Amino acid sequence: MTEYLLNIFAAITASFLLTYLSIPPIVRISNEKHLFDEPNSRKLNKTAIPTLGGVSIFIGVSLGATLFLGSLHFFELRYIFAALIMLFFIGLKDDILVISARKKLMVQIVAAIILVTLGNVEITNLSNLFFLNQISAWISIPLSFMLLLFIINAMNLIDGIDGLASGIAILVSGVLGSWFFVSGHIQYAILSFAIAGSLLAFLRYNLWGGDNKIFMGDTGSLILGGLLGILVIQFLNLNIAAPTLVKMQNAPAFVLSLLIVPVTDTLRVFTIRIYQKRSPFSPDMNHIHHLLIRSGMKHIQASSFLVLYTAFFAAFTLATATYLSSTISFILVLGMSFGAIALLKKRTDKITERREQQIRLTRQILSTGLPLQEDPFHILETKKKIYQN
């Protein structure tokens, strides 16, 4: 076990250093070649920022995870990296040239097919979720395929503010990596901690990069989505035969709690877009992180809030595992999250309305020359009476 701890430590250290050292030259090349994320009305960044952080993440994860496996057998790794390379190049092309959502989806479909059919990344047991346990290939293959596509796109969608996608991915990979380690699946523990190490280095530049500030871009978010999809599916599979001491009760609900932000956000924005008769992949400002920013939070505050939000649901699922069935826990977590977001939306709308009202009052005061020391709400009532008369 000590040897495996050294392997994990080496993997997380190597992935951190490789990512940390590769970002400054990537930023320099991006500046020279004008490979920026240009600000616009839909984006929250106010200056042009390089978007090739996913390249450094890919370098850190791929080398950190493969160099320190030692004699461990990891059959699935070849197919995992085949799929990741596809996601890497389609994300890179989109970051540099911008391509249609349809073309990105086609590549994601091929990558998911490779993982499910060749890499054995397939859910075979639902742990009594909706009273289903062992499931046939006719159900498991399309289910695993759809879940991978969903998580890939969900991670891509939440990558809208500094630190959000990477913060959630660090939490998920750290938690699952710890479980893989204590349950004896060292290969996936090494992969998980290589992801966490690489993202910790990226997070430093994403939040406090100064002249080297960088975004992960589609390159990074697509890779992260693929990796997290692989980890959660393999966790669900391996948990079935895990020893009683480490076996996770209500595993599907626990996975949902770890991915509660991307899951809730994606279902919510897709529903809004379809209701508005738009494509589910059309961009807008309806994401959860947009609500938090409009409520007055800064990027780092909003990201921290959503990471803590995820940790709360994970802790809640663990605490109630012995009292609730898998189905009830799953439905309750999803319902609680949608309820919380609805309350957040209501609060944000009130804050926005109050702020707009204050702006209108200020403009009226400046245009009419009324004394500023008067109560603006009293002024508004007075003006209403004047207009009515």
Side-chain angles (χ1 to χ4, degrees), residues 31 44 48 57 65 115 128 163 170 203-204 228 236 279 287 319 334 341 356 358 367 371 382:
N31 289 332
L44 297 176
I57 294 171
L115 289 170
N128 206 37
I170 289 170
L203 199 61
R204 179 258 185 267
L228 295 188
L236 290 172
S279 166
H287 293 284
L334 198 58
I341 301 306
E356 291 174 351
Q358 289 172 346
S367 63
T382 303

Side-chain angles (χ1 to χ4, degrees), residues 17 51 74 82 107 116 133-134 160 181 187 197 209 221 224 229 238-239 243 249 252 259 266 298 325 333 352 355 372:
L17 291 175
T51 59
F74 201 169
V107 175
V116 174
N133 289 293
Q134 193 74 26
F181 176 72
Q187 305 94 321
S221 60
L224 280 189
L238 297 172
N239 184 65
Q249 299 297 319
L259 297 174
T266 301
K298 297 180 180 178
S325 69
V333 167
T352 304
R355 188 181 298 129
L372 291 177

